[in-house]
Amino acid sequence: MFELNPLNLPDAMWQHMIMLVVAAIIGYVIGYRSSRGVAESLEVELANLDVELSNCHDRIATMVVVPPIAPVIDPINAIDLLSFVAPEPIDLVATTLPATVADVTDPMEMVPVQPDNLKLVEGIGPKIEELLNKEGILTFRHLSEATNERLVDILRAAGPRFQMHDPESWPQQAEMAASGRWDEFKTRQDIMNKGRLA
């Protein structure tokens, strides 16, 4: 059998206790240092996953629902078909399109929107373009369809720094850009000063 004190020394028990405490402290320090490296690598991995998740949310936010193409139905034959298939009348208008993005179950029906460079519009800079994009105004077509009241509300909500801008001409400029009338767009911008007619 293994003996801890083969020479029966009176201080041998204390020596063993001191050696165990020192071994425990050294083991704790080694474990702490090695686990700190693991923790740092896990934090880096978590940060990378957060960035990927944010990018995924951004991609989803820029997607537009494209409704499925409805088949063309001959109205005369459709009455016979509906009365044969379903004994109750069916409201075709209420069941054609999904109401929201959440109602779409097929991811193939989602098409990403390619944002336009809204900074081409006189009076819009990078920060205002970012504000408009957050509100779903990503293209010249979106901007051309926005009302002046909505644009003013977006600028007011962003704070006093943006309230001095006048968005009245932005939809007209965006309409020219969306329809490809670049010569007219350029001519109009030449007579403008910071988005306002000179």
Side-chain angles (χ1 to χ4, degrees), residues 179-194:
S179 57
R181 300 187 331 247
W182 293 106
D183 292 335
E184 186 181 347
F185 179 79
K186 178 72 173 125
T187 303
R188 183 172 176 102
Q189 283 192 338
D190 288 342
I191 61 171
M192 297 183 88
N193 180 18
K194 296 183 181 173

Side-chain angles (χ1 to χ4, degrees), residues 27-129:
Y28 175 77
V29 169
I30 291 172
Y32 176 77
R33 289 184 62 101
S34 65
S35 66
R36 189 173 63 183
V38 171
E40 288 174 355
S41 68
L42 289 175
E43 287 175 3
V44 168
E45 184 178 347
L46 182 60
N48 290 337
L49 290 174
D50 283 341
V51 169
E52 288 180 26
L53 181 62
S54 175
N55 291 340
C56 184
H57 283 292
D58 291 344
R59 281 191 302 253
I60 289 173
T62 60
M63 294 181 135
V64 173
V65 176
V66 176
I69 298 172
V72 177
I73 299 175
D74 180 14
I76 296 172
N77 293 333
I79 295 171
D80 294 336
L81 178 65
L82 291 176
S83 63
F84 176 74
V85 174
E88 301 174 2
I90 297 174
D91 186 5
L92 292 175
V93 176
T95 59
T96 52
L97 297 176
T100 63
V101 175
D103 294 338
V104 178
T105 55
D106 185 9
M108 295 305 290
E109 293 179 7
M110 309 240 343
V111 176
V113 172
Q114 182 66 33
D116 290 329
N117 184 3
L118 299 180
K119 296 184 293 292
L120 294 176
V121 173
E122 180 72 28
I124 296 180
K127 294 293 183 182
I128 294 178
E129 181 183 42

Side-chain angles (χ1 to χ4, degrees), residues 154-184:
I154 291 170
L155 294 174
R156 280 191 187 143
R161 178 178 167 202
F162 299 99
Q163 291 176 4
M164 66 181 180
H165 296 280
D166 183 13
E168 186 176 356
S169 69
W170 297 354
Q172 293 89 11
Q173 293 181 63
E175 172 61 36
M176 291 178 212
S179 57
R181 300 187 331 247
W182 293 106
D183 292 335
E184 186 181 347

